[in-house]
C-alpha cells in the first residue's frame, strides 16, 4: 500500500490535461497528474507514483535510490506488476494476458 | 544487519549506528513507535534491530490500512458485490483478507465478479468500458491514498459516469495516534512519523504530539540510513529533554504537505463522527465519508449495507499486536494456525502487517536456525 514508484514524465496525453505518460524501468504507462496541479511537472521531471497518481516531484538521484530501495525491499516485482496493471491504456491486452497468467 | 553492503553509504550507516549507541542512555529503556507499516516492513527486512542497542525497542504502529479494517466492513462490501450487476474492484492487498464467509478471492472463485485494480482510476476505467454494469471500488488507505480516490470521484462526477461508486474505508492517521497515546497500557517515548502520508498532510499535524504530549516526532524515509538517522534525531531530542517535530525525509516530504491533494480530499470527503478500527475499537472523527454532493457515487448511499459487526476470533490477539502491547510471536495463533499462507488476522496478510513482516524475516530465520542446529546434532 505504501509503495511509491519513481517514474519519469516522458509526454503529456493530448486532450487530457491531467494525464501524463511516465516511464518506469522501460515501461510506459499513463498516470494522473492531478495531485501536482499546483506545481505541474514538465517533460523529463521525475515523480513518485502511488496507486496510479503522481504524488510528488523528486530529483533524478532520489528516483534512482527509490528504485534501488524497492529492489532491496524485495518489492521490484510487485511495483512493476502495479505499473503494468495501470489500466488507463487504450489497449489493455497486457491486462488480460496478466489475468490469464494468474 | 542484512543488505548493508548493497546499500549506499555503508560507512554512514555504521556511523549512525555508533551514534545511536553513544546517545542511548544505558539506564533508560526507549520505546519508539514507527507508525507506518512500510517502515515496519523495512525494519524487519533490513534487520535494523541487529544494529540497535537492546534498550531501544521499536513498537509497530497502526499504519497498515488492510490490518486496521474490521472484518464487518469487508463483509459489507462483499454483500454489495454479490449483486450480479456489480463488479467489485479493489487493490491486490485486499484480496486475501478474510471476511466471515471468505476473502474477496474466495468469493471470486464462487462466481462473484471481483477484480484487482492498481489504481482507483482503473476502477473508473472499468466502469467506462462496462456501461451496463456497476463498478464499486472498495477504497482503503490513509491520507496517502485518499486523495487519489477523491480525484477519481471528481472525474466520475465531471464526466457524469453513473455506473461507478466508492465504498469508502479511508482512515486518517492522527486520531489513531491519539487513541494509542490515550491507551492506558501504552507507554511510548517517541514516534517515527510516516513517510508517504506526510507527503500529503505535511508535518504540522504532528505538532500536538510534541507540544501536548511531550513526545518527539521525526518523519522518516524508508532506507536503512533514513531510519537510523531518524532514531538519532529522536534520541538527541530525548537526551536534551526536548520534544519537536522534525523532518528527516525532506527530499520527499514538504513541511506543509500537498495542498492540491488536501483540497481534493476536502472537496469530496468529510469526517465520519466515528469509525471502528480493528484492535483499537471505535475512534471518533478517524475516518472519511463521501460528502452529500457526491452521494450518487457513494456505495453506502446507493446500496443497502448490512452494517455487519464481527468480533475477531477470540484466540487471535490482533488488537494487542496492533497497539504494540504484544509482539507478533506472543499471539497464541502466530506461526501455528495463523501464517502468511493461511492468515486468520489481517496483520498476517499484508506485507506491511507486523505479523507477516515478523514471520517472513524473523520467524523463518529462527526456524532455519533450529533446523540447521538439529541437523548438526
Amino acid at each position: 500500500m505504501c509503495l511509491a514508484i519513481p517514474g519519469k514524465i516522458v509526454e503529456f496525453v493530448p486532450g487530457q490535461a491531467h494525464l501524463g505518460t511516465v516511464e518506469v524501468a522501460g515501461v510506459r504507462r499513463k498516470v494522473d497528474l492531478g495531485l501536482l496541479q499546483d506545481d505541474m511537472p514538465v517533460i523529463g521531471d521525475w515523480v513518485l507514483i502511488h496507486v496510479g497518481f503522481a504524488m510528488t516531484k523528486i530529483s533524478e538521484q532520489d528516483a534512482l535510490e527509490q528504485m534501488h530501495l524497492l529492489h532491496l525491499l524485495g518489492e521490484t516485482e510487485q511495483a512493476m506488476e502495479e505499473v503494468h496493471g495501470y489500466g488507463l491504456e487504450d489497449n489493455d491486452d497486457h491486462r488480460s494476458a496478466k489475468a490469464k497468467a494468474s | 544487519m542484512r543488505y548493508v553492503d548493497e546499500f549506499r553509504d555503508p560507512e554512514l550507516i555504521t556511523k549512525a549506528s555508533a551514534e545511536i549507541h553513544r546517545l542511548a542512555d544505558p539506564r533508560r529503556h526507549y520505546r519508539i513507535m514507527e507508525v507506518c507499516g512500510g517502515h515496519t516492513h523495512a525494519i524487519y527486512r533490513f534487520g535494523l534491530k541487529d544494529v540497535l542497542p537492546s534498550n531501544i525497542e521499536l513498537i509497530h504502529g497502526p499504519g497498515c490500512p488492510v490490518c486496521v479494517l474490521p472484518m464487518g466492513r469487508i463483509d459489507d462490501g462483499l454483500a454489495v458485490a454479490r449483486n450480479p450487476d456489480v463488479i467489485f474492484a479493489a487493490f491486490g492487498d485486499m484480496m486475501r483478507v478474510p471476511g466471515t464467509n471468505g476473502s474477496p478471492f474466495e468469493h471470486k472463485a464462487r462466481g462473484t465478479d471481483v477484480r484487482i485494480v492498481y489504481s482507483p482510476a482503473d476502477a473508473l476505467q472499468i466502469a467506462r468500458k462496462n456501461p451496463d454494469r456497476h463498478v464499486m471500488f472498495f477504497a482503503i488507505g490513509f491520507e496517502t491514498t485518499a486523495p487519489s480516490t477523491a480525484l477519481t470521484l471528481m472525474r466520475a462526477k465531471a464526466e457524469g459516469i453513473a455506473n461507478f461508486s466508492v465504498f469508502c474505508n479511508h482512515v486518517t492517521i492522527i486520531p489513531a495516534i491519539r487513541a494509542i497515546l490515550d491507551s492506558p497500557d501504552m507507554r511510548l517515548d517517541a514516534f517515527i512519523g510516516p513517510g508517504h502520508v506526510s507527503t500529503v498532510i505535511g508535518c504540522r499535524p504532528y505538532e500536538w504530539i510534541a507540544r501536548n504530549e511531550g513526545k518527539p516526532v521525526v518523519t522518516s524515509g524508508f532506507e536503512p540510513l533514513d531510519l537510523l538517522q531518524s532514531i538519532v534525531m529522536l534520541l538527541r531530542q530525548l537526551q536534551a529533554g526536548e520534544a519537536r517535530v522534525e523532518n528527516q525525509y525532506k527530499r520527499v516530504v514538504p513541511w506543509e504537505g500537498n495542498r492540491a491533494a488536501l483540497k481534493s480530499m476536502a472537496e469530496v470527503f468529510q469526517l465520519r463522527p466515528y469509525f471502528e478500527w480493528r484492535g483499537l475499537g471505535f475512534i471518533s472523527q478517524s475516518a472519511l465519508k463521501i460528502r452529500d454532493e457526491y452521494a450518487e457515487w457513494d456505495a453506502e448511499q446507493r446500496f443497502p449495507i448490512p452494517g455487519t459487526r464481527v468480533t475477531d476470533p477470540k484466540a487471535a490477539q490482533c488488537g494487542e499486536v496492533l497497539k504494540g502491547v504484544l509482539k507478533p510471536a506472543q499471539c497464541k495463533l502466530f506461526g501455528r494456525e495463523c501464517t502468511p499462507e493461511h492468515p486468520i488476522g489481517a496483520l498476517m496478510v499484508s506485507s506491511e502487517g507486523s505479523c507477516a513482516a515478523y514471520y517472513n524475516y524473523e520467524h523463518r530465520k529462527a526456524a532455519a536456525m533450529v533446523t540447521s542446529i538439529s541437523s548438526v546434532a
Side-chain angles (χ1 to χ4, degrees):
Chain A
M1 279 299 302
C2 231
L3 212 58
I5 305 166
K8 186 179 186 173
I9 309 277
V10 291
E11 64 181 22
F12 294 101
V13 178
Q16 287 176 293
H18 63 281
L19 292 184
T21 301
V22 295
E23 192 172 284
V24 182
V27 176
R28 290 185 172 208
R29 282 290 176 273
K30 288 176 193 159
V31 297
D32 199 308
L33 304 175
L35 299 176
L36 298 180
Q37 58 193 287
D38 290 349
D39 184 21
M40 278 299 262
V42 296
I43 288 176
D45 276 353
W46 288 83
V47 291
L48 272 185
I49 306 154
H50 175 69
V51 299
F53 289 72
M55 297 288 296
T56 182
K57 290 202 271 188
I58 52 170
S59 71
E60 181 171 6
Q61 179 64 26
D62 288 336
L64 294 173
E65 279 166 12
Q66 178 69 11
M67 211 63 209
H68 189 53
L69 173 70
L70 290 175
H71 166 69
L72 293 186
L73 283 171
E75 288 181 344
T76 309
E77 198 183 323
Q78 197 188 338
M80 292 316 293
E81 184 188 320
E82 175 169 332
V83 172
H84 274 283
Y86 289 155
L88 293 178
E89 312 304 306
D90 301 325
N91 175 354
D92 59 357
D93 286 349
H94 64 279
R95 175 170 282 256
S96 46
K98 190 102 209 160
K100 272 178 211 152
S102 61
Chain B
M1 183 171 157
R2 297 181 278 273
Y3 309 102
V4 69
D5 298 338
E6 277 185 68
F7 230 91
R8 71 181 170 115
D9 306 324
E11 266 179 45
L12 288 180
I13 289 180
T14 313
K15 271 191 190 158
S17 168
E19 181 67 359
I20 290 171
H21 280 266
R22 194 185 68 78
L23 286 167
D25 180 344
R27 293 162 302 180
R28 274 189 76 171
H29 184 83
Y30 299 90
R31 288 168 60 89
I32 299 176
M33 174 171 275
E34 87 278 2
V35 175
C36 163
H39 284 149
T40 303
H41 181 199
I43 284 163
Y44 280 119
R45 174 84 182 184
F46 297 129
L48 284 192
K49 223 171 55 162
D50 302 348
V51 295
L52 295 178
S54 58
N55 60 335
I56 295 187
E57 188 183 352
L58 295 176
I59 312 282
H60 316 307
C64 162
V66 168
C67 307
V68 297
L69 189 67
M71 194 185 272
R73 293 294 288 181
I74 303 164
D75 289 349
D76 282 352
L78 288 168
V80 176
R82 280 193 284 274
N83 180 332
D85 293 332
V86 169
I87 296 172
F88 175 99
F91 295 138
D93 302 44
M94 272 312 303
M95 291 297 162
R96 293 193 313 116
V97 178
T100 307
N101 297 308
S103 65
F105 260 159
E106 286 161 325
H107 277 71
K108 185 181 170 70
R110 297 198 287 264
T112 306
D113 195 342
V114 169
R115 305 201 193 174
I116 293 184
V117 290
Y118 295 92
S119 167
D122 297 349
L124 184 60
Q125 185 76 340
I126 296 174
R128 288 190 191 102
K129 289 182 175 174
N130 296 273
D132 52 335
R133 306 282 304 281
H134 182 93
V135 177
M136 183 185 78
F137 176 61
F138 189 87
I140 58 164
F142 287 89
E143 289 94 331
T144 329
T145 318
S148 305
T149 304
L151 265 190
T152 302
L153 280 166
M154 286 162 73
R155 309 231 185 281
K157 188 178 185 186
E159 288 179 47
I161 299 175
N163 63 321
F164 176 74
S165 65
V166 168
F167 187 87
C168 183
N169 299 289
H170 285 302
V171 284
T172 58
I173 197 68
I174 296 295
I177 297 177
R178 196 184 296 274
I180 283 169
L181 281 169
D182 287 346
S183 175
D185 45 4
M186 210 57 221
R187 192 188 60 76
L188 293 168
D189 296 295
F191 289 91
I192 297 174
H196 295 136
V197 160
S198 306
T199 63
V200 173
I201 67 173
C203 297
R204 285 195 193 283
Y206 308 112
E207 283 175 342
W208 65 273
I209 303 173
R211 199 179 43 238
N212 302 347
E213 305 284 336
K215 321 255 184 224
V217 181
V218 174
T219 53
S220 175
F222 295 82
E223 298 182 16
L225 184 59
D226 290 327
L227 287 158
L228 294 178
Q229 280 178 344
S230 298
I231 295 171
V232 167
M233 290 160 84
L234 290 171
L235 289 175
R236 283 194 183 137
Q237 288 195 43
L238 288 170
Q239 204 190 38
E242 295 171 352
R244 281 176 287 116
V245 181
E246 290 184 279
N247 185 8
Q248 185 277 336
Y249 201 25
K250 280 192 187 121
R251 60 188 193 273
V252 171
V253 171
W255 187 264
E256 301 292 342
N258 179 332
R259 271 199 8 194
L262 292 168
K263 221 169 98 185
S264 60
M265 281 167 69
E267 156 78 18
V268 173
F269 300 123
Q270 63 188 78
L271 284 171
R272 292 176 192 266
Y274 54 87
F275 192 74
E276 188 183 6
W277 293 55
R278 181 175 278 198
L280 299 175
F282 284 91
I283 306 179
S284 67
Q285 304 200 316
S286 64
L288 303 175
K289 90 183 265 298
I290 296 170
R291 283 188 186 279
D292 287 347
E293 291 83 343
Y294 288 80
E296 202 182 321
W297 292 273
D298 182 354
E300 289 180 87
Q301 306 243 23
R302 282 185 74 141
F303 297 98
I305 305 291
T308 319
R309 288 208 55 209
V310 185
T311 321
D312 280 320
K314 259 205 181 121
Q317 293 168 296
C318 306
E320 282 78 5
V321 176
L322 202 54
K323 279 193 290 186
V325 175
L326 283 187
K327 300 284 177 207
Q330 291 173 315
C331 170
K332 292 186 206 81
L333 302 187
F334 179 86
R336 293 187 267 282
E337 290 90 339
C338 189
T339 63
E341 289 75 25
H342 298 286
I344 290 176
L347 288 151
M348 198 52 111
V349 177
S350 167
S351 66
E352 294 174 8
S354 51
C355 292
Y358 189 89
Y359 189 92
N360 285 326
Y361 300 116
E362 298 295 322
H363 186 69
R364 287 194 207 275
K365 192 172 71 177
M369 206 180 283
V370 169
T371 313
S372 68
I373 291 168
S374 51
S375 66
V376 169

